[in-house]
């Protein structure tokens, strides 16, 4: 999934995505959950999510 943040709110977006990724990693069945900031488009963030199974995705 990709999200584009308002360029005037990049620091807020970074904090929110950091908190989201941190909380998501604690959900049972989540193997990995990262949100990366595009170096070529700093206002664009991309999530990479890996789940153990379909049940974990549904949570």
């Amino acid at each position: 999934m990709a999200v584009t943040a308002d360029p005037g709110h990049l620091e807020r977006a970074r904090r929110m995505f950091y908190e989201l990724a941190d909380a998501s990693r604690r959900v049972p069945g989540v193997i990995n959950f990262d949100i990366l900031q595009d170096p070529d488009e700093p206002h664009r963030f991309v999530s990479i999510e890996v789940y153990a199974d379909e049940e974990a995705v549904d949570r």
Side-chain angles (χ1 to χ4, degrees):
M1 172 174 59
V3 175
T4 302
D6 182 316
H9 296 284
L10 285 181
E11 285 306 314
R12 181 175 181 219
R14 278 190 202 108
R15 282 192 310 274
M16 290 174 64
F17 289 135
Y18 175 83
E19 291 171 8
L20 172 65
D22 187 52
S24 295
R25 289 179 187 122
R26 291 187 239 138
V27 174
V30 174
I31 294 172
N32 194 19
F33 192 103
D34 290 312
I35 299 179
L36 309 171
Q37 187 174 10
D38 188 327
D40 295 325
E41 296 180 52
H43 58 282
R44 185 170 185 264
F45 295 82
V46 179
S47 68
I48 300 172
E49 307 156 27
V50 180
Y51 301 92
D53 51 32
E54 200 63 37
E55 189 177 309
V57 172
D58 293 340
R59 266 190 288 264

